[in-house]
Amino acid sequence: MADVKLSIAGRAYDVHCADGQEPQLLNLATVVDEKVRAMPGGTEVRQLLFAALMLADEAQEAKGKAAKAEPQSDSLRAAVALAESREAQARDELKAALAELDALKKAPPSNPTPPNPTSAKPSHDRALLQIADRIETLATRIEQIP
């Protein structure tokens, strides 16, 4: 146990607290002292009473604000989780598309003759169109991620 000497409204108070809590207790005493000094006149007891009432009111307001902010933070957490999930899904689809593209690049040509640019095979055209469609779909999904 630690002993702390507090000064509130010009009066000294000796208070016991747990070890390590001294700075926090001194800060709290400073807040109370500021509230008391903001109320001139009246007795010391009356000043302390009004300071306590003002601090209780502030604490109640803070609890109300925290309660109102909690649902908003829950919805924000849910939105972030959804965005992260969509991002992971888009990355997986992109990896799959890249793997498919690599496989197509590495596949041996079915015809050993040099390709003629004017006569592309329909199977290659179809594969290229499918890859292009997948890339477009992935790009659209990535653009929609908040």
Side-chain angles (χ1 to χ4, degrees):
M1 276 280 180
D3 293 325
V4 180
K5 185 168 266 191
L6 307 177
S7 176
I8 299 175
R11 188 172 209 193
Y13 295 91
D14 291 323
V15 179
H16 302 291
C17 66
D19 290 334
Q21 295 297 315
E22 299 93 317
Q24 176 67 9
L25 191 57
L26 288 168
N27 287 335
L28 293 173
T30 301
V31 171
V32 173
D33 186 54
E34 288 172 1
K35 292 289 180 191
V36 169
R37 291 183 186 278
M39 292 173 226
T43 65
E44 180 183 344
V45 172
R46 189 169 180 84
Q47 287 176 318
L48 289 172
L49 170 67
F50 282 113
L53 289 172
M54 288 177 65
L55 290 169
D57 183 53
E58 289 174 12
Q60 193 171 23
E61 280 182 36
K63 285 179 184 177
K65 287 179 183 177
K68 287 180 185 175
E70 200 168 306
Q72 290 175 346
S73 64
D74 288 344
S75 65
L76 288 175
R77 278 190 217 105
V80 167
L82 179 62
E84 288 172 347
S85 170
R86 287 182 179 170
E87 179 188 15
Q89 182 181 2
R91 284 182 190 203
D92 291 344
E93 289 179 14
L94 184 59
K95 284 179 187 176
L98 290 173
E100 187 177 333
L101 183 60
D102 283 343
L104 287 172
K105 285 180 182 177
K106 292 177 183 177
S110 59
N111 187 357
T113 60
N116 183 353
T118 58
S119 62
K121 289 190 173 188
S123 63
H124 288 1
D125 287 345
R126 188 174 55 244
L128 289 173
L129 287 173
Q130 288 175 344
I131 291 170
D133 286 341
R134 289 186 76 178
I135 290 172
E136 284 294 324
T137 302
L138 288 171
T140 302
R141 286 183 183 174
I142 289 171
E143 288 173 356
Q144 292 174 350
I145 294 175

